[in-house]
Amino acid sequence: MFKRFRRLRVNQAVRELSEETRVDVRDFIYPLFIKEGKNAKKEIASMPGIFQMSIDNVLIECRELKELGLNKILLFGIPEVKDSIGSGALCEHSIIAEAIREIKKIYPDMYVITDLCFCEYTDHGHCGILDLEHNSVDNDATLEIIARQALIHAKAGVDMIAPSGMMDGAIKTIREALDSEGFVNLPIMSYSTKFASAYYGPFRDAAESAPSFGDRKSYQMNPANRREALAESLEDEAQGADILMVKPALAYLDIVREIRDSSLLPLCVYNVSGEYSMLKFAANAGVIDYDKVLMETMLCFKRAGADMIISYHAKEIAQLLGKNKG
Ligand code: PBG
Ligand code: ZN
């Protein structure tokens, strides 16, 4: 009888020895939504367990994260006022610049990454300056303000910058701006392959960034395209990206594998808001074993080729990994 495969599955010990992929708390980046004001903490209805917080509460959150072994965060800002060009992101006292300074002052070891985009800051909710003639976003006008936003974060002390707006040429523009001001050691994690996905729905509640008209299909990628997905990431590598990303994650693991096999750069997946909420609401309805489905999902991201994972589940994952150790 042919028993080759079952010999290495007979008990937990031998299964551990033959395990090819592992999930580690150090793989995770936790997103935070930061709003202006004091003592604010508001749960996002479409993302149970995730909150918009003012900076004072973010500092409390950082302590909790560190206790869980999580030391990498991704910041999104929700400004008080929005306008057509996203001015709220373009001054040195922007909500994110303030947050970076306060976090780094108290938690210098917290690795702070900022999402670089304008959809949270524009009154129309698009990711840059509008080109009204074409009912779209003006690529080159947006590049100018992206570079300014990057420098504001850099000067505030950010550890890594993650441009998510999908403007052509953004990585080259940001790299040149950073280098010219002496920030040669500040890495760029590009949202290099980012699809125009309905899975971002709950995020747009969280970040108050839903476009007021149209959609993002003139700058984000078509989910139908595999070759273009690869080309997007390779282009950002050529422009100087330090880390590549695939977003969303779950339905796009073929793309993760393809990029993993075509680039030597580290690769991140963004386990997006809609993916989070699907599991949460399924768990609340009592139809899945949440902890097991969650850990299986993370393991599969890594097996597909992800080196790191941005996830709203990061705190729960850290807790589960801690339990298994003890
Ligand atoms: C901003 C941005 C978005 C997400 C991350 N950065 C929203 C979008 O592009 O519409 C989505 C994250 C998520 O769904 O969790 N451009
Ligand atoms: Zn955006």
Side-chain angles (χ1 to χ4, degrees):
M1 207 92 60
F2 186 78
K3 289 250 176 80
R4 173 185 158 199
F5 291 111
R6 298 203 44 191
R7 281 198 289 269
L8 296 181
R9 293 175 198 160
V10 291
N11 61 36
Q12 176 69 13
V14 75
R15 286 195 294 272
E16 282 169 7
L17 288 177
S18 54
E19 192 161 77
E20 298 175 31
T21 310
R22 288 203 177 124
V23 178
D24 189 296
V25 66
R26 291 170 293 185
D27 303 330
F28 287 89
I29 300 167
Y30 188 62
L32 290 168
F33 298 103
I34 309 183
K35 63 188 279 153
E36 301 200 31
K38 278 212 161 57
N39 200 22
K41 188 166 176 178
K42 185 170 152 237
E43 190 166 23
I44 296 138
S46 55
M47 301 179 73
I50 304 297
F51 297 80
Q52 295 179 337
M53 281 179 253
S54 49
I55 292 176
D56 47 354
N57 279 320
V58 167
L59 295 175
I60 296 171
E61 184 76 9
C62 285
R63 192 175 63 202
E64 206 183 299
L65 293 172
K66 289 198 73 176
E67 279 162 10
L68 286 166
L70 294 164
N71 62 349
K72 302 150 195 106
I73 53 179
L74 174 64
L75 308 186
F76 294 94
I78 306 154
E80 204 112 280
V81 281
K82 306 187 186 222
D83 63 17
S84 65
I85 62 157
S87 317
L90 297 174
C91 68
E92 62 177 299
H93 295 292
S94 74
I95 176 75
I96 288 299
E98 298 290 3
I100 296 165
R101 278 189 287 266
E102 300 230 11
I103 294 167
K104 294 303 287 187
K105 190 164 66 190
I106 301 184
Y107 300 105
D109 297 341
M110 183 57 86
Y111 194 82
V112 178
I113 309 170
T114 50
D115 182 273
L116 208 70
C117 202
F118 286 93
C119 45
E120 299 101 316
Y121 300 90
T122 52
D123 49 16
H124 45 75
H126 278 285
C127 299
I129 293 176
L130 289 185
D131 170 357
L132 289 173
E133 204 182 315
H134 300 97
N135 222 10
S136 179
V137 171
D138 183 330
N139 195 85
D140 293 1
T142 302
L143 288 184
E144 271 172 48
I145 58 172
I146 285 178
R148 280 168 58 195
Q149 193 185 19
L151 284 175
I152 287 167
H153 294 188
K155 287 172 185 163
V158 78
D159 293 299
M160 182 185 285
I161 281 180
S164 69
M166 291 295 280
M167 295 300 125
D168 280 350
I171 303 307
K172 180 169 182 282
T173 303
I174 294 167
R175 187 71 267 159
E176 284 173 1
L178 292 174
D179 289 352
S180 73
E181 298 269 341
F183 296 104
V184 291
N185 286 324
L186 188 59
I188 301 172
M189 174 162 68
S190 176
Y191 284 67
S192 53
T193 295
K194 176 173 174 181
F195 292 93
S197 170
Y199 281 100
Y200 309 152
F203 172 93
R204 292 176 187 171
D205 297 336
E208 300 176 11
S209 64
S212 62
F213 67 92
D215 53 41
R216 304 207 202 287
K217 288 181 187 166
S218 71
Y219 40 105
Q220 299 180 349
M221 271 200 60
N222 182 345
N225 292 357
R226 185 176 65 84
R227 294 191 308 266
E228 188 188 359
L230 185 57
E232 274 276 9
S233 275
L234 294 181
E235 172 61 27
D236 281 3
E237 173 166 6
Q239 287 185 27
D242 299 286
I243 299 176
L244 302 176
M245 191 197 297
V246 175
K247 176 184 174 203
L250 258 187
Y252 295 85
L253 294 185
D254 58 326
I255 306 294
V256 173
R257 169 50 53 197
E258 191 134 12
I259 294 174
R260 175 65 297 143
D261 289 345
S262 309
S263 170
L264 297 177
L265 290 185
L267 180 60
C268 181
V269 290
Y270 198 137
N271 175 214
V272 299
S273 57
E275 300 171 3
Y276 172 85
S277 299
M278 287 198 305
L279 286 200
K280 268 282 156 194
F281 282 94
N284 292 348
V287 296
I288 56 165
D289 182 330
Y290 179 76
D291 294 355
K292 291 209 174 93
V293 172
L294 175 56
M295 295 315 286
E296 181 178 328
T297 305
M298 298 303 135
L299 184 70
C300 293
F301 291 160
K302 293 208 65 185
R303 190 209 56 231
D307 300 297
M308 64 195 94
I309 302 169
I310 300 169
S311 180
Y312 305 98
H313 299 284
K315 285 165 68 179
E316 299 163 320
I317 292 161
Q319 263 153 358
L320 289 167
L321 289 170
K323 249 185 242 161
N324 291 344
K325 256 187 217 142

